[in-house]
Coordinates of all heavy atoms in Angstrom, one line a residue:
M1 N -27.9 66.1 49.0 CA -27.4 65.3 50.1 C -28.2 65.7 51.4 O -28.5 66.9 51.6 CB -25.9 65.5 50.4 CG -25.5 64.7 51.6 SD -23.7 64.8 51.9 CE -23.1 63.7 50.6
K2 N -28.7 64.7 52.1 CA -29.4 65.0 53.3 C -28.9 64.3 54.6 O -28.5 63.1 54.5 CB -30.9 64.6 53.1 CG -31.8 64.9 54.3 CD -33.2 64.8 54.0 CE -33.9 63.6 54.6 NZ -35.3 63.5 54.3
V3 N -28.8 65.1 55.7 CA -28.3 64.5 56.9 C -29.5 64.5 57.9 O -30.2 65.5 58.0 CB -27.2 65.3 57.5 CG1 -26.9 64.9 59.0 CG2 -25.9 65.2 56.7
M4 N -29.8 63.4 58.5 CA -30.8 63.3 59.5 C -30.2 63.4 60.9 O -29.2 62.8 61.2 CB -31.5 61.9 59.4 CG -32.7 61.7 60.3 SD -33.4 60.1 59.9 CE -34.4 60.6 58.5
L5 N -30.7 64.4 61.7 CA -30.2 64.6 63.0 C -31.3 64.1 64.0 O -32.4 64.5 64.0 CB -29.9 66.1 63.3 CG -28.9 66.7 62.3 CD1 -29.7 67.5 61.2 CD2 -27.9 67.6 63.0
V6 N -30.9 63.2 64.9 CA -31.8 62.6 65.8 C -31.6 63.1 67.2 O -30.5 63.1 67.8 CB -31.5 61.0 65.8 CG1 -32.5 60.3 66.8 CG2 -31.6 60.5 64.4
N7 N -32.6 63.7 67.7 CA -32.6 64.3 69.1 C -33.1 63.3 70.1 O -34.3 63.0 70.1 CB -33.4 65.6 69.1 CG -33.3 66.3 70.5 OD1 -32.5 65.9 71.4 ND2 -34.1 67.3 70.7
G8 N -32.2 62.8 70.9 CA -32.6 61.8 71.9 C -33.1 62.4 73.2 O -33.4 61.6 74.1
S9 N -33.1 63.7 73.3 CA -33.6 64.3 74.5 C -35.1 64.5 74.5 O -35.7 64.7 73.4 CB -33.0 65.7 74.6 OG -33.6 66.4 75.7
S10 N -35.7 64.5 75.6 CA -37.2 64.7 75.7 C -37.4 66.3 75.6 O -38.6 66.7 75.4 CB -37.7 64.2 77.0 OG -37.0 64.7 78.1
H11 N -36.4 67.0 75.8 CA -36.5 68.5 75.7 C -36.4 68.9 74.2 O -35.3 68.8 73.6 CB -35.4 69.2 76.5 CG -35.5 68.9 78.0 ND1 -34.4 68.6 78.8 CD2 -36.6 68.9 78.8 CE1 -34.8 68.4 80.0 NE2 -36.1 68.5 80.1
L12 N -37.5 69.5 73.7 CA -37.5 69.9 72.3 C -36.5 71.0 72.0 O -35.9 71.1 70.9 CB -38.9 70.3 71.9 CG -40.0 69.3 71.9 CD1 -41.3 69.9 71.4 CD2 -39.6 68.1 71.1
H13 N -36.3 71.8 73.1 CA -35.3 73.0 72.9 C -34.3 73.0 74.0 O -34.0 74.0 74.6 CB -36.1 74.3 72.9 CG -37.2 74.3 71.8 ND1 -36.9 74.4 70.5 CD2 -38.5 74.2 71.9 CE1 -38.0 74.3 69.8 NE2 -39.0 74.2 70.6
G14 N -33.8 71.8 74.3 CA -32.8 71.7 75.4 C -31.3 71.8 74.9 O -31.1 72.3 73.7
T15 N -30.4 71.4 75.7 CA -29.0 71.5 75.4 C -28.6 70.6 74.1 O -27.8 71.1 73.3 CB -28.2 70.9 76.5 OG1 -28.7 71.5 77.7 CG2 -26.7 71.3 76.4
T16 N -29.2 69.5 74.0 CA -28.9 68.6 72.9 C -29.4 69.2 71.6 O -28.7 69.2 70.6 CB -29.6 67.2 73.1 OG1 -29.3 66.7 74.4 CG2 -29.2 66.2 72.0
M17 N -30.6 69.8 71.6 CA -31.1 70.5 70.4 C -30.2 71.7 70.1 O -30.0 72.0 68.9 CB -32.5 70.9 70.6 CG -33.2 71.3 69.3 SD -33.2 70.0 68.1 CE -33.0 71.0 66.6
A18 N -29.7 72.4 71.1 CA -28.8 73.6 70.9 C -27.5 73.1 70.1 O -27.1 73.8 69.2 CB -28.4 74.2 72.2
A19 N -27.0 71.9 70.5 CA -25.8 71.4 69.8 C -26.2 71.0 68.4 O -25.4 71.3 67.4 CB -25.3 70.2 70.5
L20 N -27.4 70.4 68.2 CA -27.8 70.1 66.8 C -28.0 71.3 66.0 O -27.6 71.3 64.8 CB -29.1 69.2 66.9 CG -29.0 67.8 67.5 CD1 -30.3 67.2 67.6 CD2 -28.0 67.0 66.6
E21 N -28.5 72.4 66.6 CA -28.7 73.6 65.8 C -27.4 74.2 65.3 O -27.4 74.8 64.2 CB -29.5 74.6 66.6 CG -31.0 74.3 66.5 CD -31.9 75.0 67.6 OE1 -31.3 75.7 68.5 OE2 -33.1 74.7 67.7
E22 N -26.4 74.1 66.1 CA -25.0 74.6 65.6 C -24.6 73.8 64.4 O -24.0 74.3 63.5 CB -24.0 74.4 66.8 CG -24.2 75.5 67.9 CD -24.2 76.9 67.4 OE1 -23.2 77.3 66.6 OE2 -25.1 77.6 67.7
M23 N -24.8 72.4 64.5 CA -24.4 71.6 63.3 C -25.3 71.9 62.1 O -24.8 71.9 61.0 CB -24.6 70.1 63.7 CG -23.7 69.6 64.7 SD -23.9 67.9 65.1 CE -23.7 67.9 66.8
I24 N -26.6 72.2 62.3 CA -27.5 72.5 61.2 C -27.0 73.7 60.5 O -27.0 73.8 59.2 CB -28.9 72.7 61.7 CG1 -29.5 71.3 62.1 CG2 -29.8 73.3 60.7 CD1 -30.8 71.3 62.9
K25 N -26.5 74.7 61.2 CA -26.0 76.0 60.6 C -24.8 75.6 59.6 O -24.7 76.1 58.5 CB -25.4 76.9 61.7 CG -26.5 77.7 62.4 CD -25.8 78.7 63.3 CE -26.7 79.0 64.5 NZ -26.0 79.5 65.7
V26 N -23.9 74.7 60.1 CA -22.8 74.3 59.3 C -23.2 73.5 58.1 O -22.8 73.8 56.9 CB -21.7 73.6 60.1 CG1 -20.6 73.1 59.2 CG2 -21.2 74.4 61.3
F27 N -24.1 72.6 58.3 CA -24.6 71.8 57.2 C -25.3 72.7 56.1 O -25.0 72.5 54.9 CB -25.7 70.7 57.6 CG -25.0 69.6 58.3 CD1 -25.5 69.1 59.6 CD2 -24.0 68.8 57.7 CE1 -24.9 68.0 60.2 CE2 -23.4 67.7 58.3 CZ -23.9 67.3 59.6
H28 N -26.1 73.6 56.6 CA -26.8 74.5 55.6 C -25.8 75.4 54.9 O -26.0 75.7 53.7 CB -27.9 75.4 56.3 CG -29.1 74.5 56.7 ND1 -30.2 75.0 57.3 CD2 -29.4 73.2 56.5 CE1 -31.0 74.1 57.6 NE2 -30.6 73.0 57.1
S29 N -24.7 75.9 55.6 CA -23.7 76.7 54.9 C -23.0 75.9 53.8 O -22.4 76.5 52.9 CB -22.7 77.3 55.9 OG -21.8 76.2 56.3
E30 N -23.0 74.6 53.9 CA -22.4 73.7 52.9 C -23.5 73.1 51.9 O -23.2 72.2 51.2 CB -21.7 72.5 53.6 CG -20.6 72.9 54.5 CD -19.3 73.5 53.8 OE1 -19.1 73.1 52.6 OE2 -18.6 74.3 54.4
E31 N -24.7 73.7 52.0 CA -25.8 73.3 51.2 C -26.2 71.9 51.3 O -26.6 71.2 50.4 CB -25.5 73.7 49.7 CG -25.4 75.2 49.5 CD -25.2 75.6 48.1 OE1 -25.3 74.8 47.2 OE2 -24.9 76.8 48.0
V32 N -26.1 71.4 52.6 CA -26.5 70.0 52.9 C -27.9 70.2 53.6 O -28.1 71.0 54.5 CB -25.5 69.3 53.9 CG1 -26.1 68.0 54.3 CG2 -24.2 69.2 53.2
E33 N -28.8 69.4 53.0 CA -30.2 69.4 53.6 C -30.2 68.7 54.9 O -29.4 67.8 55.1 CB -31.1 68.7 52.6 CG -32.6 68.9 52.7 CD -33.3 68.0 51.8 OE1 -32.8 67.7 50.7 OE2 -34.4 67.6 52.1
T34 N -31.1 69.2 55.8 CA -31.2 68.5 57.1 C -32.6 68.2 57.5 O -33.5 68.8 57.0 CB -30.6 69.4 58.3 OG1 -31.3 70.6 58.3 CG2 -29.1 69.7 58.1
E35 N -32.8 67.2 58.4 CA -34.1 66.8 58.9 C -33.8 66.4 60.4 O -33.0 65.5 60.6 CB -34.7 65.7 58.1 CG -36.1 65.4 58.7 CD -36.8 64.3 57.9 OE1 -36.3 63.8 56.9 OE2 -38.0 63.9 58.3
V36 N -34.6 67.0 61.3 CA -34.5 66.7 62.7 C -35.6 65.7 63.0 O -36.7 65.9 62.6 CB -34.6 67.9 63.6 CG1 -34.7 67.5 65.1 CG2 -33.5 68.9 63.4
V37 N -35.2 64.6 63.6 CA -36.2 63.6 64.1 C -36.1 63.6 65.6 O -35.1 63.5 66.2 CB -35.8 62.2 63.6 CG1 -36.8 61.1 64.2 CG2 -35.8 62.1 62.1
Q38 N -37.3 63.8 66.2 CA -37.4 63.9 67.7 C -37.7 62.5 68.2 O -38.8 62.0 68.0 CB -38.5 64.9 68.0 CG -38.7 65.1 69.5 CD -37.5 65.7 70.2 OE1 -36.8 66.5 69.6 NE2 -37.3 65.2 71.4
L39 N -36.7 61.9 68.9 CA -36.9 60.5 69.4 C -37.2 60.6 70.9 O -37.9 59.8 71.5 CB -35.7 59.6 69.2 CG -35.5 58.9 67.9 CD1 -34.5 57.8 68.1 CD2 -36.8 58.3 67.4
G40 N -36.5 61.5 71.6 CA -36.6 61.6 73.1 C -38.0 61.9 73.5 O -38.8 62.6 72.8
G41 N -38.5 61.4 74.6 CA -39.8 61.6 75.1 C -40.8 60.6 74.8 O -41.9 60.6 75.3
K42 N -40.4 59.6 73.9 CA -41.3 58.5 73.5 C -40.6 57.2 73.9 O -39.4 57.1 73.7 CB -41.5 58.5 72.0 CG -42.2 59.7 71.5 CD -42.2 59.7 69.9 CE -41.9 61.0 69.3 NZ -41.3 61.0 68.0
P43 N -41.3 56.3 74.5 CA -40.7 55.0 74.8 C -40.4 54.2 73.5 O -41.2 54.2 72.6 CB -41.8 54.3 75.7 CG -43.0 55.0 75.4 CD -42.7 56.4 74.9
I44 N -39.2 53.6 73.5 CA -38.9 52.7 72.4 C -38.5 51.4 73.0 O -37.7 51.3 73.9 CB -37.7 53.3 71.6 CG1 -38.0 54.6 71.0 CG2 -37.2 52.3 70.5 CD1 -36.9 55.3 70.2
A45 N -39.2 50.3 72.5 CA -39.0 49.0 73.0 C -37.6 48.5 72.7 O -37.0 48.8 71.7 CB -40.0 48.1 72.5
D46 N -37.0 47.7 73.7 CA -35.8 47.0 73.4 C -36.0 45.9 72.4 O -37.1 45.4 72.2 CB -35.3 46.3 74.7 CG -34.6 47.3 75.6 OD1 -34.2 48.4 75.1 OD2 -34.5 47.1 76.8
C47 N -34.9 45.5 71.7 CA -35.0 44.4 70.7 C -35.3 43.1 71.4 O -34.7 42.8 72.5 CB -33.6 44.3 70.0 SG -33.5 43.0 68.8
L48 N -36.2 42.3 70.8 CA -36.6 41.0 71.4 C -35.7 39.9 70.8 O -35.8 38.8 71.2 CB -38.0 40.7 71.0 CG -39.1 41.7 71.5 CD1 -40.5 41.3 70.9 CD2 -39.2 41.6 73.0
Q49 N -34.9 40.2 69.9 CA -34.1 39.2 69.1 C -34.9 38.1 68.6 O -34.6 36.9 68.6 CB -32.9 38.7 70.0 CG -31.8 38.3 69.1 CD -30.9 37.2 69.6 OE1 -30.8 37.0 70.8 NE2 -30.2 36.5 68.7
C50 N -36.1 38.5 68.1 CA -37.0 37.5 67.4 C -36.5 37.2 66.0 O -36.9 36.2 65.4 CB -38.4 37.9 67.5 SG -38.7 39.4 66.5
N51 N -35.7 38.1 65.5 CA -35.1 38.0 64.1 C -36.1 38.1 63.0 O -35.8 37.8 61.8 CB -34.3 36.7 64.0 CG -33.1 36.7 64.9 OD1 -32.6 37.7 65.3 ND2 -32.7 35.5 65.4
V52 N -37.4 38.4 63.3 CA -38.4 38.6 62.2 C -38.0 39.7 61.2 O -38.2 39.6 60.0 CB -39.8 38.9 62.8 CG1 -40.8 39.3 61.8 CG2 -40.3 37.7 63.6
C53 N -37.3 40.7 61.7 CA -36.9 41.8 60.9 C -35.9 41.4 59.8 O -35.9 42.0 58.7 CB -36.3 43.0 61.7 SG -34.8 42.5 62.6
Q54 N -35.2 40.3 60.1 CA -34.2 39.8 59.0 C -35.0 39.2 57.8 O -34.4 39.2 56.7 CB -33.3 38.7 59.6 CG -32.4 39.3 60.6 CD -31.4 38.3 61.3 OE1 -31.3 37.2 60.8 NE2 -30.7 38.7 62.3
K55 N -36.2 38.8 58.0 CA -37.0 38.3 56.9 C -37.9 39.3 56.3 O -38.1 39.4 55.1 CB -37.9 37.1 57.4 CG -37.1 35.9 57.8 CD -38.0 34.7 58.3 CE -37.2 33.7 59.1 NZ -37.8 33.4 60.4
T56 N -38.5 40.2 57.2 CA -39.5 41.1 56.7 C -39.0 42.6 56.5 O -39.6 43.4 55.9 CB -40.7 41.2 57.7 OG1 -40.2 41.7 58.9 CG2 -41.3 39.8 57.9
G57 N -37.9 42.9 57.2 CA -37.4 44.3 57.2 C -38.2 45.2 58.1 O -37.9 46.4 58.1
K58 N -39.1 44.6 58.9 CA -39.9 45.4 59.8 C -39.8 44.8 61.2 O -39.7 43.6 61.4 CB -41.4 45.3 59.4 CG -41.7 45.8 58.0 CD -42.1 47.3 58.1 CE -42.5 47.7 56.7 NZ -42.1 49.1 56.4
C59 N -39.9 45.7 62.2 CA -39.9 45.3 63.6 C -41.3 44.8 63.9 O -42.3 45.4 63.4 CB -39.5 46.4 64.5 SG -39.5 45.9 66.3
V60 N -41.4 43.7 64.7 CA -42.7 43.2 65.1 C -43.5 44.1 66.1 O -44.7 44.1 66.2 CB -42.7 41.8 65.8 CG1 -42.2 40.7 64.7 CG2 -41.7 41.8 67.0
I61 N -42.7 45.0 66.8 CA -43.3 45.9 67.7 C -43.7 47.1 66.8 O -42.8 47.8 66.3 CB -42.3 46.3 68.8 CG1 -41.9 45.1 69.6 CG2 -42.9 47.4 69.7 CD1 -40.7 45.2 70.4
K62 N -45.0 47.4 66.7 CA -45.5 48.3 65.7 C -45.8 49.7 66.2 O -46.1 50.6 65.4 CB -46.7 47.7 65.0 CG -46.3 46.4 64.2 CD -47.4 46.0 63.2 CE -46.9 45.0 62.2 NZ -46.5 43.7 62.8
D63 N -45.8 49.8 67.5 CA -46.4 51.1 68.0 C -45.4 52.1 68.6 O -45.8 53.0 69.3 CB -47.5 50.8 69.1 CG -47.0 49.9 70.2 OD1 -45.8 49.6 70.2 OD2 -47.8 49.6 71.1
D64 N -44.1 51.8 68.4 CA -43.1 52.7 69.0 C -42.4 53.6 68.0 O -41.5 54.4 68.4 CB -42.1 52.0 69.9 CG -41.2 51.0 69.1 OD1 -41.4 51.0 67.8 OD2 -40.3 50.4 69.7
G65 N -42.8 53.6 66.7 CA -42.2 54.5 65.7 C -40.9 54.0 65.1 O -40.4 54.7 64.2
V66 N -40.4 52.8 65.5 CA -39.2 52.3 64.9 C -39.3 52.1 63.4 O -38.4 52.5 62.6 CB -38.7 51.1 65.7 CG1 -37.6 50.3 64.9 CG2 -38.1 51.5 67.0
N67 N -40.4 51.4 63.0 CA -40.6 51.1 61.6 C -40.7 52.4 60.7 O -40.1 52.5 59.6 CB -41.8 50.2 61.3 CG -41.6 48.8 61.8 OD1 -40.5 48.3 61.7 ND2 -42.6 48.2 62.4
E68 N -41.3 53.4 61.3 CA -41.5 54.7 60.6 C -40.1 55.4 60.5 O -39.7 56.0 59.5 CB -42.4 55.6 61.3 CG -43.9 55.2 61.2 CD -44.2 54.0 62.1 OE1 -43.4 53.7 63.0 OE2 -45.3 53.4 61.9
F69 N -39.3 55.3 61.6 CA -37.9 55.8 61.6 C -37.1 55.2 60.5 O -36.4 55.9 59.8 CB -37.3 55.7 63.0 CG -35.9 56.2 63.0 CD1 -35.6 57.5 63.2 CD2 -34.8 55.3 62.8 CE1 -34.3 58.0 63.2 CE2 -33.5 55.8 62.8 CZ -33.2 57.1 63.0
V70 N -37.2 53.9 60.4 CA -36.4 53.1 59.4 C -36.7 53.6 58.0 O -35.8 53.8 57.2 CB -36.6 51.6 59.6 CG1 -35.9 50.8 58.4 CG2 -36.0 51.1 60.9
E71 N -38.0 53.8 57.7 CA -38.4 54.3 56.4 C -37.8 55.7 56.1 O -37.3 55.9 55.0 CB -39.9 54.3 56.3 CG -40.6 53.0 56.1 CD -39.9 52.1 54.9 OE1 -39.9 52.7 53.8 OE2 -39.5 51.0 55.2
K72 N -37.9 56.6 57.1 CA -37.4 57.9 57.0 C -35.9 57.9 56.8 O -35.3 58.6 56.0 CB -37.7 58.7 58.3 CG -38.2 60.1 58.0 CD -38.6 60.7 59.3 CE -40.0 61.2 59.3 NZ -40.2 62.3 60.2
A73 N -35.2 57.0 57.5 CA -33.7 56.9 57.5 C -33.2 56.5 56.1 O -32.1 56.9 55.7 CB -33.3 55.8 58.5
K74 N -34.1 55.8 55.3 CA -33.7 55.4 54.0 C -33.4 56.6 53.1 O -32.8 56.5 52.0 CB -34.7 54.4 53.4 CG -34.7 53.1 54.0 CD -35.8 52.2 53.4 CE -35.9 50.9 54.1 NZ -37.1 50.1 53.8
T75 N -34.0 57.7 53.4 CA -33.9 58.9 52.6 C -32.7 59.8 52.9 O -32.4 60.8 52.3 CB -35.2 59.8 52.7 OG1 -35.2 60.4 54.0 CG2 -36.4 59.0 52.4
A76 N -31.9 59.4 54.0 CA -30.8 60.2 54.4 C -29.5 59.6 54.0 O -29.3 58.4 53.8 CB -30.8 60.2 56.0
D77 N -28.5 60.5 53.7 CA -27.2 60.1 53.3 C -26.2 60.0 54.5 O -25.2 59.4 54.5 CB -26.6 61.1 52.3 CG -27.5 61.2 51.1 OD1 -27.6 60.3 50.3 OD2 -28.2 62.3 51.0
G78 N -26.6 60.7 55.6 CA -25.8 60.7 56.8 C -26.6 60.9 58.0 O -27.8 61.4 57.9
F79 N -26.1 60.7 59.2 CA -26.8 60.7 60.5 C -26.0 61.4 61.5 O -24.8 61.2 61.6 CB -27.2 59.3 61.0 CG -28.1 58.6 60.0 CD1 -27.5 57.8 59.0 CD2 -29.5 58.7 60.2 CE1 -28.4 57.1 58.2 CE2 -30.3 58.1 59.3 CZ -29.7 57.3 58.3
V80 N -26.7 62.1 62.4 CA -26.1 62.6 63.7 C -27.0 62.1 64.8 O -28.2 62.4 64.8 CB -26.0 64.1 63.8 CG1 -25.5 64.6 65.1 CG2 -25.1 64.7 62.7
F81 N -26.5 61.3 65.7 CA -27.3 60.8 66.8 C -26.8 61.6 68.0 O -25.6 61.5 68.4 CB -27.1 59.3 67.0 CG -27.7 58.5 66.0 CD1 -27.0 58.0 64.9 CD2 -29.1 58.2 66.0 CE1 -27.5 57.3 63.9 CE2 -29.7 57.4 65.0 CZ -28.9 56.9 63.9
A82 N -27.7 62.4 68.6 CA -27.3 63.2 69.8 C -28.3 62.9 70.9 O -29.5 62.8 70.8 CB -27.5 64.7 69.4
T83 N -27.7 62.7 72.1 CA -28.5 62.4 73.3 C -27.8 63.0 74.5 O -26.6 62.9 74.7 CB -28.7 60.9 73.4 OG1 -29.5 60.6 74.6 CG2 -27.4 60.1 73.5
P84 N -28.6 63.4 75.5 CA -28.1 63.7 76.8 C -27.9 62.4 77.6 O -28.4 61.4 77.1 CB -29.2 64.6 77.4 CG -30.5 64.1 76.8 CD -30.1 63.7 75.4
V85 N -27.2 62.5 78.7 CA -27.1 61.3 79.6 C -28.1 61.6 80.7 O -28.0 62.6 81.4 CB -25.7 61.2 80.1 CG1 -25.6 60.0 81.1 CG2 -24.7 60.9 79.0
Y86 N -29.1 60.7 80.9 CA -30.0 60.8 82.0 C -29.9 59.5 82.9 O -30.1 58.4 82.4 CB -31.5 60.9 81.5 CG -32.0 62.2 81.0 CD1 -31.1 63.3 81.0 CD2 -33.3 62.4 80.6 CE1 -31.6 64.5 80.5 CE2 -33.8 63.6 80.2 CZ -32.9 64.7 80.1 OH -33.4 65.9 79.7
F87 N -29.5 59.7 84.1 CA -29.3 58.6 85.0 C -28.4 57.6 84.4 O -28.7 56.4 84.3 CB -30.7 58.0 85.4 CG -31.5 59.0 86.2 CD1 -32.7 59.4 85.7 CD2 -31.1 59.5 87.4 CE1 -33.5 60.4 86.3 CE2 -31.9 60.5 88.1 CZ -33.1 60.9 87.5
A88 N -27.2 58.1 83.9 CA -26.1 57.2 83.5 C -26.4 56.4 82.2 O -25.7 55.5 81.9 CB -25.6 56.3 84.6
H89 N -27.5 56.8 81.5 CA -27.6 56.1 80.2 C -28.2 57.1 79.2 O -28.9 58.0 79.5 CB -28.4 54.8 80.3 CG -29.9 55.0 80.6 ND1 -30.8 55.1 79.6 CD2 -30.5 55.2 81.7 CE1 -32.0 55.3 80.1 NE2 -31.9 55.4 81.4
P90 N -27.9 56.9 77.9 CA -28.4 57.8 76.9 C -29.9 57.7 76.7 O -30.5 56.6 76.8 CB -27.7 57.4 75.6 CG -27.2 56.0 75.8 CD -27.1 55.8 77.3
Ligands
FMN101 C1 -33.2 63.7 85.3 C2 -31.8 64.0 84.8 C3 -30.8 63.0 85.0 C4 -29.5 63.3 84.5 N1 -28.5 62.3 84.7 C5 -27.2 62.6 84.3 C6 -26.2 61.6 84.4 O1 -26.4 60.5 84.8 N2 -25.0 61.9 84.0 C7 -24.7 63.2 83.4 O2 -23.5 63.4 83.1 N3 -25.6 64.1 83.3 C8 -26.9 63.9 83.7 N4 -27.9 64.8 83.6 C9 -27.5 66.1 82.9 C10 -28.1 66.2 81.5 O3 -27.4 65.2 80.7 C11 -27.7 67.5 80.9 O4 -28.4 68.5 81.6 C12 -28.1 67.6 79.4 O5 -27.4 68.8 78.9 C13 -29.6 67.7 79.2 O6 -29.8 67.8 77.8 P1 -31.2 68.3 77.2 O7 -31.4 69.7 77.7 O8 -31.1 68.2 75.7 O9 -32.3 67.3 77.7 C14 -29.2 64.6 84.0 C15 -30.2 65.5 83.9 C16 -31.5 65.2 84.3 C17 -32.6 66.3 84.1

């Protein structure tokens, strides 16, 4: 079993990562595999609602890493999404 932990902070070793590291200790003690995905620090485009993904399974915006994230996500059994609040939004 694998859990993917998504760090929405731009700080690789900030408060959000510290919280994820506590969770990773517990997952490992239960023999659950983990993978950290660093999302914060990179711009991710908003959804255009073009609906192309409903036909192709891929986002038309190709340079923000979303399609790569979706492929990686298929290998996970569970997720933790963690993010700080910066200027009132995650
Ligand atoms: C530029 C900036 C803006 C922030 N805005 C908010 C905010 O609107 N609300 C809030 O509760 N905390 C805010 N914070 C505090 C962060 O959410 C907090 O320090 C968090 O633990 C940072 O996590 P990180 O170290 O993983 O990046 C802000 C911090 C920074 C640096």
Side-chain angles (χ1 to χ4, degrees):
M1 180 177 281
K2 183 165 106 178
V3 170
M4 184 176 281
L5 302 101
V6 181
N7 183 7
S9 173
S10 55
H11 297 135
L12 298 184
H13 305 289
T15 315
T16 308
M17 194 59 216
L20 291 175
E21 277 163 2
E22 289 302 310
M23 292 181 222
I24 288 168
K25 281 184 209 160
V26 177
F27 283 129
H28 288 179
S29 74
E30 299 289 332
E31 294 180 14
V32 174
E33 199 186 327
T34 59
E35 181 176 359
V36 173
V37 176
Q38 180 63 36
L39 277 197
K42 299 172 216 151
I44 298 175
D46 281 339
C47 177
L48 300 172
Q49 209 206 335
C50 65
N51 298 331
V52 169
C53 62
Q54 290 180 12
K55 294 181 197 126
T56 65
K58 302 264 184 216
C59 182
V60 291
I61 300 164
K62 295 194 166 64
D63 56 0
D64 66 359
V66 164
N67 287 324
E68 290 74 15
F69 177 83
V70 169
E71 284 309 306
K72 225 178 233 204
K74 288 177 184 169
T75 68
D77 303 291
F79 298 89
V80 175
F81 292 95
T83 179
V85 176
Y86 279 4
F87 298 114
H89 71 95

